[in-house]
């Protein structure tokens, strides 16, 4: 399989998907590994709408729920979160932001690279800085990575096809999980399931658990030529929760902002529910490789947290803190 990373090659502001430019940069940074034709074929094989079709097919198969009136929206709206818009009158749509795509793939690349070359001091410090940049500028302030940032990242992983492959495989599992999560909201409304106002977070847990079931089924039932999601990526939805956890953690350390949303439980709670799903006997996955990957990921996840706090306490992050901007944002939210 050949990585398809057009999401990496998007440039700030508005809709900026540029496949042609993406292919050129891919060939520039990985000249010995891919041909232009391979990259083009792969783009046709792996893309958002194809994943959405697959998710729909599985909702019908697993839950007898036919999704025929939900469309996809994918423009840049400055949000890391995906959501479903369903006012029961207009056609419903699921929004997966361009910012989500480019940020998640970059996050995975940098975390895996960090984990792999942990003892290389240059890689270590570059990876820490890049993760911090993603959390601070991109997640907290919603700024799309510019070309310069993209160059830094690509330079960091240049020639390392293994990292590219790991990141991309996990990325698609997360995409399917997110799409399925949003479809669950429509499904729950469709079957008339109600949640008490006291516990709105229960709907989120249910959405995660059903979405994860769909992901694991797709993983287990499509192998060989039909393979879409790699089995070893089965813990990628956990990494996605950890991604949000690092985002909120960074906000807390840099700006003393506390994530609070009664509807959306904390990432750590969501992650625990996901583990409860995958531990069931009905899922038979070969997990050694996947556990190893996640173990390495968690090591750098902890490392990032420690370093962030340490550097903050030593006053080394003063230059990158935009306290006024953050206060203004909070003011607008309240
Ligand atoms: Zn939700």
């Amino acid at each position: 399989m050949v990585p398809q990373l057009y999401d990496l090659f998007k440039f700030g502001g508005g809709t900026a998907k540029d496949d042609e430019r993406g292919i050129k940069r891919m060939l520039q940074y990985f000249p010995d590994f891919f041909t232009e034709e391979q990259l083009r074929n792969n783009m046709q094989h792996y893309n958002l709408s194809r994943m959405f079709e697959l998710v729909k097919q599985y909702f019908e198969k697993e839950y007898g729920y036919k999704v025929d009136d939900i469309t996809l929206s994918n423009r840049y709206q400055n949000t890391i979160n995906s959501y479903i818009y369903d006012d029961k009158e207009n056609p419903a749509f699921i929004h997966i932001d361009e910012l989500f795509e480019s940020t998640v793939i970059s996050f995975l690349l940098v975390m895996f690279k960090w984990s792999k070359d942990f003892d290389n001091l240059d890689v270590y410090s570059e990876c820490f800085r890049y993760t911090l940049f993603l959390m601070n500028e991109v997640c907290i302030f919603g700024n799309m990575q510019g070309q310069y940032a993209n160059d830094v990242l690509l330079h960091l992983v240049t020639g390392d096809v293994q990292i590219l492959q790991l990141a991309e495989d996990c990325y698609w599992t997360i995409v399917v999980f997110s799409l399925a999560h949003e479809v669950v909201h429509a499904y729950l409304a469709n079957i008339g399931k109600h949640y008490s106002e006291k516990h709105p977070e229960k709907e989120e847990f249910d959405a995660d658990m059903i979405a994860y079931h769909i992901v694991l089924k797709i993983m287990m039932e499509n192998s060989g030529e039909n393979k879409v999601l790699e089995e070893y990526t089965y813990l990628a939805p956990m990494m996605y929760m950890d991604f949000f956890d690092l985002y909120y953690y960074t906000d807390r350390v840099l700006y003393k902002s506390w994530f609070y949303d009664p509807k959306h439980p904390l990432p750590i709670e969501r992650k625990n529910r996901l583990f409860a799903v995958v531990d069931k006997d009905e899922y038979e996955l070969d997990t050694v490789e996947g556990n190893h990957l996640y173990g390495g990921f968690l090591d750098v996840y902890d490392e990032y947290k420690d370093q962030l706090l340490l550097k903050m306490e030593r006053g080394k992050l003063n230059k990158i803190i935009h306290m006024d901007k953050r206060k203004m944002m909070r003011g607008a939210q309240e």
Side-chain angles (χ1 to χ4, degrees):
M1 209 173 66
V2 183
Q4 174 261 43
L5 284 171
Y6 68 77
D7 303 307
L8 249 180
F9 308 112
K10 286 180 296 199
F11 305 97
T15 179
K17 267 195 187 153
D18 187 342
D19 292 351
E20 292 306 315
R21 193 162 180 177
I23 287 171
K24 279 203 190 101
R25 300 189 81 214
M26 226 25 215
L27 293 170
Q28 178 195 338
Y29 280 93
F30 295 87
D32 305 330
F33 298 97
F34 317 116
T35 65
E36 193 173 329
E37 194 192 353
Q38 282 176 317
L39 291 172
R40 280 187 204 286
N41 285 342
N42 204 50
M43 271 184 194
Q44 273 174 8
H45 202 65
Y46 284 86
N47 58 63
L48 202 55
S49 37
R50 195 164 171 257
M51 294 300 161
F52 191 40
E53 289 311 310
L54 194 65
V55 167
K56 289 201 257 188
Q57 190 189 317
Y58 266 78
F59 264 91
E60 192 165 4
K61 184 170 163 291
E62 294 290 314
Y63 297 97
Y65 173 53
K66 211 167 154 33
V67 189
D68 45 17
D69 51 358
I70 303 177
T71 54
L72 263 186
S73 131
N74 178 228
R75 282 163 310 162
Y76 174 43
Q77 294 184 353
N78 295 43
T79 173
I80 290 295
N81 294 296
S82 52
Y83 61 86
I84 182 163
Y85 174 83
D86 188 1
D87 63 7
K88 311 278 184 289
E89 279 171 28
N90 299 297
F93 67 85
I94 288 174
H95 181 78
I96 300 268
D97 207 285
E98 280 192 19
L99 191 69
F100 162 97
E101 300 181 274
S102 75
T103 309
V104 171
I105 190 84
S106 305
F107 173 73
L108 294 168
L109 278 171
V110 77
M111 293 292 277
F112 293 152
K113 183 67 185 175
W114 191 355
S115 164
K116 181 181 173 183
D117 294 337
F118 195 79
D119 295 330
N120 178 324
L121 284 177
D122 290 336
V123 174
Y124 180 107
S125 66
E126 282 288 319
C127 287
F128 172 77
R129 273 172 44 192
Y130 205 87
T131 310
L132 175 59
F133 161 77
L134 282 178
M135 297 301 144
N136 188 30
E137 305 294 337
V138 183
C139 293
I140 296 175
F141 293 107
N143 298 320
M144 184 86 84
Q145 302 167 72
Q147 181 171 353
Y148 175 72
N150 265 287
D151 282 335
V152 170
L153 179 64
L154 277 173
H155 186 74
L156 195 63
V157 298
T158 190
D160 198 335
V161 180
Q162 185 200 14
I163 293 300
L164 216 59
Q165 196 65 75
L166 295 174
E168 185 175 13
D169 288 347
C170 288
Y171 171 73
W172 287 116
T173 298
I174 291 173
V175 166
V176 168
F177 175 77
S178 302
L179 287 168
H181 174 107
E182 301 308 334
V183 172
V184 178
H185 287 302
Y187 165 66
L188 293 170
N190 184 270
I191 60 170
K193 175 126 182 156
H194 288 290
Y195 292 85
S196 85
E197 279 179 23
K198 257 174 115 182
H199 294 288
E201 78 283 2
K202 283 202 170 132
E203 178 166 352
E204 290 310 312
F205 288 137
D206 283 354
D208 280 344
M209 289 163 89
I210 293 173
Y212 200 25
H213 172 76
I214 298 271
V215 165
L216 296 174
K217 280 283 169 180
I218 291 175
M219 222 169 249
M220 286 157 54
E221 292 179 3
N222 299 277
S223 55
E225 268 191 8
N226 297 321
K227 187 187 276 183
V228 194
L229 302 179
E230 297 285 334
E231 277 203 8
Y232 81 86
T233 67
Y234 82 111
L235 294 175
M238 281 64 164
M239 296 179 197
Y240 186 46
M241 297 301 153
D242 295 329
F243 163 77
F244 280 108
D245 187 59
L246 289 185
Y247 161 18
Y248 302 145
Y249 179 82
T250 305
D251 202 13
R252 212 154 70 221
V253 173
L254 299 187
Y255 304 104
K256 314 280 173 278
S257 286
W258 289 81
F259 168 79
Y260 175 72
D261 176 354
K263 264 193 175 164
H264 283 85
L266 290 172
I268 186 82
E269 296 173 71
R270 294 177 65 185
K271 194 167 99 170
N272 289 339
R273 304 290 170 119
L274 294 180
F275 273 114
V277 172
V278 77
D279 287 342
K280 288 182 192 161
D281 293 338
E282 61 179 294
Y283 308 112
E284 286 163 15
L285 292 146
D286 180 17
T287 57
V288 177
E289 208 189 337
N291 292 349
H292 184 71
L293 182 69
Y294 190 52
F297 172 95
L298 283 179
D299 287 344
V300 292
Y301 160 92
D302 288 337
E303 191 72 15
Y304 172 82
K305 285 189 156 182
D306 291 350
Q307 287 299 323
L308 186 74
L309 204 56
L310 210 68
K311 288 190 162 61
M312 184 70 182
E313 282 165 357
R314 292 183 182 162
K316 292 201 165 160
L317 301 178
N318 295 342
K319 270 194 210 146
I320 60 131
I321 293 177
H322 322 296
M323 194 54 95
D324 292 343
K325 212 164 124 192
R326 186 73 189 89
K327 270 191 193 135
M328 266 167 61
M329 266 175 74
R330 266 203 304 261
Q333 277 162 4
E334 277 157 15

